Amino acid sequence: MSNLSVRANNALCPIAAYLPVAFAVSQNPYDPVKNPDGVVNLCIAENVLCFPILAAKIQEVIASGIPDDCGKYANMQGTHDFRTAMAELMNTFTEFACDPKHIVLCSGASGVLDNIFYCLCEAGDAAIVPAPFYPAFVNDLKVKAGVEVIIAPTAHPEYRLTRELLDTAHKTATSRGKNVRVLLLTNPNNPLGTCYSLEELRIAIDFCSELNIHLVSDEVYALSVFPGNQFHSIVSACGGQMGTNIHVCYGLSKDLGISGFRVGALYTQNEKLVEAVSNLNIFTCVSGLTQHSLATALLDTEFRDKYVSESKTRLSDSCKAVCDRLSSLKLPHVVPTAGMFVWIDMSRLLRAQTFDAELELFFLLHDKARVILTPGQSFGQPTAGFFRMCYAAVASDVLLLALGRLEAFVFALDAQAELK
């Protein structure tokens, strides 16, 4: 029996239910030279497509000298230069100017969410989250802040956000004695790779306004929207007037492909929340060297804009390769307009329409195709057979290899089905 606190025992649960299995089965990773028969891991939402470009820029910044201030304590809200750089970056998608004084920089978007929910909720309160949703939200909200996720399942295949859906989720929560304090959106959506319309965002704003609850919009994929597609930030949906109840969570892990740097940003016009999170940030602040190097790189707006544009192009190209192959395999999928993943309906490959059969298919994909995808049950998907494929987690040549393996796997299953 553990001699830890209740809080610590809660923290023993994995960040996301699928991760222990995914990490366990990926101990045989693909390498084109050392292990060409190894497993290709497409279940982690990372973007590796452009990192060498940014790495070269950061090396250039550091080579020019490291200021003495990097070795000292700094404003826990974040340095002025980095908050300015982050505000200017966010201005490219919010349509309204972000004031650096309303930004707090934390160690990753998860650090932002942990701080937000700790400050907005009491332990035992609830947050409504439309599904399918990023599985680690359950951990991010509950492990320290003690907030319970109330799932609002959107309907396949449109997955639209409606007022009826939100009202039903709220009634479910209140019938269980839960005090709903927050509606949490992900826009662009993970795992769907789609963006909310202005109409859907305004439905969310009106819902929260009428119930006097907070609206948190996680927009960590805002600059991973493919060329020719449109994204609306919650900032633009409310006309830049966020008041004290609308807040944005942003970060650089996805759009810049630097999840290892651990940089997230809270943007809110609630000055008390800025102050509270800044004080808490003694536990979650970003290192001085990280802030200096990224601020310098991002304030070079010519480099920044070219980098973001190149990332969008490479993401779009990888996405097209996946969707073309899925269509040829007659595997239904949501066609993404943003992000770094495709939501695939593989239910026709299940031996039965159950989540046990979904998990069996997950292991079959690993054992036979040597590819790892994320099973849909983790995302709050109510029906079995859906999987998320993260196509930016590997270089384009490795992605094509994985798609070839998947194709051979599907052909083999279809041939077996024909013989029965």
Side-chain angles (χ1 to χ4, degrees):
M1 184 175 179
S2 172
N3 62 352
L4 304 180
S5 67
V6 172
R7 292 191 301 268
N9 280 304
N10 288 337
L12 295 175
C13 296
I15 293 173
Y18 65 89
L19 284 179
V21 178
F23 287 143
V25 300
S26 63
Q27 296 306 303
N28 178 33
Y30 169 81
D31 184 277
V33 177
K34 297 178 181 178
N35 193 18
D37 293 324
V39 176
V40 179
N41 190 338
L42 301 178
C43 80
I44 305 298
E46 287 189 305
N47 177 5
V48 305
L49 301 181
C50 285
F51 178 69
I53 300 172
L54 183 56
K57 178 68 172 179
I58 291 171
Q59 287 173 342
E60 176 187 310
V61 171
I62 293 176
S64 68
I66 300 174
D68 290 345
D69 285 350
C70 287
K72 301 175 182 178
Y73 289 120
N75 185 347
M76 292 302 165
Q77 184 178 348
T79 65
H80 179 268
D81 285 351
F82 196 22
R83 282 186 287 116
T84 299
M86 188 67 79
E88 292 183 5
L89 179 67
M90 294 177 69
N91 288 345
T92 64
F93 65 79
T94 59
E95 299 180 29
F96 289 84
C98 299
D99 191 328
K101 74 179 183 182
H102 291 146
I103 289 176
V104 186
L105 301 168
C106 304
S107 56
S110 290
V112 173
L113 290 172
D114 175 47
N115 282 331
I116 289 176
F117 281 88
Y118 185 88
C119 291
L120 299 184
C121 305
E122 303 294 345
D125 284 347
I128 295 173
V129 183
F133 64 91
Y134 169 53
F137 276 160
V138 175
N139 178 81
D140 291 349
L141 275 56
K142 189 172 184 178
V143 71
K144 282 176 62 182
V147 177
E148 181 178 339
V149 167
I150 301 296
I151 298 174
T154 56
H156 174 75
E158 292 86 5
Y159 296 105
R160 284 187 57 79
L161 185 69
T162 66
R163 180 57 187 261
E164 180 183 8
L165 180 85
L166 297 177
D167 285 338
T168 299
H170 188 263
K171 289 177 182 176
T172 299
T174 54
S175 70
R176 291 164 50 184
K178 292 295 178 181
N179 178 34
V180 176
R181 290 282 293 163
V182 179
L183 168 63
L184 173 58
L185 303 180
T186 307
N187 184 34
N189 181 274
N190 173 8
L192 300 177
T194 57
C195 302
Y196 284 118
S197 66
L198 271 176
E199 178 189 0
E200 290 171 295
L201 292 176
R202 287 169 180 157
I203 286 172
I205 291 169
D206 290 344
F207 171 77
C208 292
S209 177
E210 290 172 23
L211 294 176
N212 192 30
I213 64 176
H214 294 269
L215 198 168
V216 176
S217 183
D218 183 338
E219 301 184 357
V220 296
Y221 299 98
L223 289 177
S224 296
V225 179
F226 306 153
N229 293 282
Q230 195 168 25
F231 165 76
H232 301 287
S233 169
I234 199 69
V235 181
S236 58
C238 69
Q241 302 302 309
M242 301 165 70
T244 58
N245 279 23
I246 297 177
H247 323 281
V248 173
C249 172
Y250 185 61
L252 303 184
S253 293
K254 313 301 183 180
D255 288 341
L256 297 194
I258 51 173
S259 53
F261 281 51
R262 311 308 303 134
V263 177
L266 163 64
Y267 176 57
T268 178
Q269 294 171 2
N270 186 323
E271 294 184 1
K272 290 296 184 183
L273 181 58
V274 168
E275 185 178 351
V277 173
S278 297
N279 287 339
L280 288 169
N281 221 23
I282 185 69
F283 306 111
T284 52
C285 62
V286 183
S287 77
L289 182 57
T290 298
Q291 293 193 64
H292 166 70
S293 58
L294 289 175
T296 306
L298 292 175
L299 288 171
D300 180 346
T301 55
E302 181 180 2
F303 168 80
R304 179 199 72 191
D305 294 344
K306 285 182 178 178
Y307 182 84
V308 170
S309 177
E310 180 64 21
S311 177
K312 290 181 179 182
T313 298
R314 294 188 187 188
L315 286 169
S316 180
D317 289 346
S318 289
C319 180
K320 185 178 185 303
V322 171
C323 290
D324 287 349
R325 190 68 63 97
L326 293 174
S327 295
S328 72
L329 294 173
K330 296 182 172 55
L331 288 175
H333 56 280
V334 175
V335 178
T337 58
M340 48 201 64
F341 21 71
V342 178
W343 187 239
I344 313 168
D345 179 359
M346 303 179 76
S347 57
R348 74 174 178 84
L349 303 179
L350 301 182
R351 63 164 180 78
Q353 298 303 307
T354 65
F355 288 115
D356 284 344
E358 178 180 284
L359 191 59
E360 287 177 16
L361 182 58
F362 168 83
F363 284 110
L364 272 176
L365 283 163
H366 169 265
D367 295 341
K368 303 297 184 183
R370 302 185 305 289
V371 171
I372 304 178
L373 307 181
T374 317
Q377 186 179 20
S378 301
F379 298 88
Q381 173 66 26
T383 53
F386 288 80
F387 287 81
R388 183 189 70 173
M389 176 187 289
C390 298
Y391 51 78
V394 295
S396 57
D397 59 329
V398 180
L399 178 65
L400 293 176
L401 170 77
L403 291 174
R405 291 179 176 183
L406 177 64
E407 182 176 71
F409 173 80
V410 173
F411 284 165
L413 282 188
D414 285 344
Q416 291 177 16
E418 289 176 6
L419 293 175
K420 292 182 180 178

